[in-house]
Each structure stands twice: as C-alpha cells, then as structure tokens.
Amino acid sequence: MDPAMPADYHLDAVAFLENWQGEPFGTILLDPPYALRKSMELYKGIICSPFRRIKDVIPGCLKPGGLVITFGYHSVVMGRNRSFQVEKVAMFSHGGAIHDTIASVERFVK
C-alpha cells in the first residue's frame, strides 16, 4: 500500500481481490502483517485488512484446485469451511529471539 515501494498495485489486499478482473489465480501467497505492532514497526503504520476478511475474499479469486500458501506465527489456515484442504505444513526457525514462521499449503477443493 506504500506508494514509495516498487509494485504494480498499491492497494489493501481486500480491495485488490474484490476488484480483480483478471483470470483466477493458481496460487496466492498470504503473508500480511498480522499484528498491529508489526504493522507500526515495519510498515510505517499502514494497517492491512483483518486477516479473516482477507481469507473470506480469496476463494472468489482462486482457480479450483488452486493453492494458498500462508505464512505466520501460528497455524491458522484458510480452513474447511472455505473449502480448503491442508496439504503441507512447514516450520522455519529464524533463531534467537525471532519467532519461528509456520507455513501451510492448502488446496481449494471446491
């Protein structure tokens, strides 16, 4: 969302997905700043949409059989109620006082 960053779009994830007019995506990487503190520290105070709202709009932009790869400090996933099935889970240790990152790969089975 920071216009100073090199990107094709400078939109909140929900606004981007709700207005997407192109072909459905085959894969979506989901790695928003989950915490207000992280948003303030790392993203100049730019706050993204609530995580639940982002997850609610993703199925409308994803091909059947497509993947969502979610990164975070917890294993909260897209879930069966949104027609996703977990295929893989990985943990990445950064060492020291930095939290591990959990990645989940889910397939859209609708």
Side-chain angles (χ1 to χ4, degrees):
M1 291 182 1
D2 184 350
M5 298 302 292
D8 293 335
Y9 302 94
H10 295 95
L11 298 168
D12 178 78
V14 170
F16 177 83
L17 292 172
E18 287 180 336
N19 293 294
W20 180 249
Q21 298 295 312
E23 292 292 318
F25 297 103
T27 301
I28 293 177
L29 298 177
L30 184 56
D31 187 15
Y34 297 98
L36 178 61
R37 181 183 64 78
K38 284 289 188 191
S39 177
M40 299 304 284
E41 288 176 9
L42 302 174
Y43 301 102
K44 301 178 186 174
I46 296 172
I47 299 170
C48 70
S49 291
F51 189 46
R52 178 175 290 186
R53 182 73 183 114
I54 294 168
K55 293 191 305 181
D56 286 345
V57 298
I58 283 175
C61 299
L62 191 63
K63 292 178 182 178
L67 299 174
V68 173
I69 304 171
T70 305
F71 298 91
Y73 299 144
H74 47 72
S75 58
V76 175
V77 293
M78 293 294 293
R80 285 186 223 160
N81 62 331
R82 292 183 187 91
S83 300
F84 283 84
Q85 180 177 350
V86 175
E87 292 193 350
K88 301 277 184 184
V89 175
M91 183 180 301
F92 303 94
S93 176
H94 304 290
I98 300 172
H99 293 286
D100 294 342
T101 298
I102 299 172
S104 61
V105 178
E106 296 173 272
R107 187 166 305 278
F108 188 39
V109 293
K110 193 166 194 174

